[in-house]
Amino acid sequence: MLILGLESSAKAASAALSRDGALLGQKYQCAGLTHSRTLLPMAEQLLAETGLTLRDIDAVAVSHGPGSFTGIRIGVSTAKGLCWGAEKPAIGVSTLEAMAWNGESAPEGSLICCAMDARRSQIYNALFRFEGGRPARLTPDRAISLAELAAELKKSEKTIFVLGDGAELCYNHLLEDGLPAVLAPEEVRMQCAWGVCRAAEGLSPKSAAELLPVYLRLSQAERERQAREN
């Protein structure tokens, strides 16, 4: 399957192409520009450089959350637009599960701790371990406080391999609690579109109309509105 993957869940944005699990190319940018200005041009440039068009793609995959509310909306909207324009199906994947593929470089037997900064001393998190050459999920995606996560991880004696845009925040907290945490090397720490492609392999593409963002919690504006109403 030829997959165009999109990732825009945090500060960086990326686009990747994979065929049957092999990476054909990837574009990555973290220059402070809005994803609405960078994501689609990167995808178009990647296709042009590989001699492909949207008509050649079997599916467009995108990290549909959790993550930045704005970033997720841009990613999902971009994927929908590409799918509708080329009459192609879509595959939505968990940002955290796509990120977990970077755990290949973790010490053997480690817990893969995916962490995205959710503000207010919380992270978006899921735990995985590598089995049979792929991440096996141990927890659902969740918004969890750093204190709650540390208390949960104290029950395990395994090395905790921390990655994601919230990795440093999480790593520092776990170290303060005396937990055996390892910070993923910078080159594999952040979520990327190649991980999206890998997470999408084997999943059944669906209509773009069925592709929806997954936020896990209300936006700040919605929380403030609820507080006023209560």
Side-chain angles (χ1 to χ4, degrees):
M1 178 181 285
L2 182 58
I3 296 173
L4 171 64
L6 305 175
E7 162 52 51
S8 60
S9 63
K11 290 182 179 179
S14 56
L17 278 168
S18 73
R19 179 181 278 118
D20 298 330
L23 179 65
L24 299 183
Q26 181 169 225
K27 296 286 183 181
Y28 183 96
Q29 189 171 115
C30 188
L33 300 175
T34 61
H35 299 334
S36 59
R37 293 176 57 190
T38 61
L39 189 59
L40 183 57
M42 281 195 292
E44 292 173 338
Q45 186 178 8
L46 183 59
L47 287 167
E49 290 177 356
T50 53
L52 297 167
T53 70
L54 274 176
R55 295 294 178 187
D56 300 313
I57 301 300
D58 293 309
V60 178
V62 64
S63 56
H64 62 180
S68 155
F69 284 68
T70 301
I72 293 300
R73 281 195 292 267
I74 291 171
V76 168
S77 297
T78 301
K80 281 177 173 284
L82 291 171
C83 289
W84 282 329
E87 299 182 336
K88 298 294 181 178
I91 304 174
V93 304
S94 158
T95 308
L96 298 167
E97 187 163 341
M99 186 194 306
W101 279 94
N102 290 358
E104 277 183 315
S105 59
E108 187 173 354
S110 298
L111 279 178
I112 310 301
C113 179
C114 299
M116 299 183 69
D117 188 1
R119 312 298 179 188
R120 301 162 67 95
S121 297
Q122 283 193 329
I123 58 170
Y124 296 123
N125 165 260
L127 300 176
F128 298 82
R129 65 169 174 259
F130 256 79
E131 291 182 354
R134 62 182 301 116
R137 183 179 286 277
L138 301 176
T139 69
D141 291 354
R142 65 236 176 125
I144 189 171
S145 73
L146 291 166
E148 288 175 313
L149 178 63
E152 179 181 319
L153 292 174
K154 283 180 179 177
K155 302 171 186 176
S156 172
E157 297 180 354
K158 296 183 180 296
T159 299
I160 304 158
F161 189 76
V162 190
L163 44 76
D165 69 279
E168 194 166 354
L169 173 70
C170 183
Y171 168 77
N172 290 335
H173 188 92
L174 296 179
L175 280 191
E176 289 173 3
D177 272 24
L179 289 162
V182 173
L183 185 61
E186 190 170 353
E187 62 269 21
V188 296
R189 190 178 305 163
M190 301 302 179
Q191 48 268 52
C192 65
W194 170 220
V196 172
C197 290
R198 300 181 82 182
E201 282 288 339
L203 298 181
S204 298
K206 298 180 179 180
S207 163
E210 299 180 64
L211 178 63
L212 296 172
V214 177
Y215 297 127
L216 289 190
R217 69 179 193 183
L218 297 175
S219 69
Q220 182 175 344
E222 290 170 318
R223 293 196 300 269
E224 290 174 351
R225 184 185 65 194
Q226 280 193 354
R228 289 194 301 268
E229 292 174 349
N230 294 334

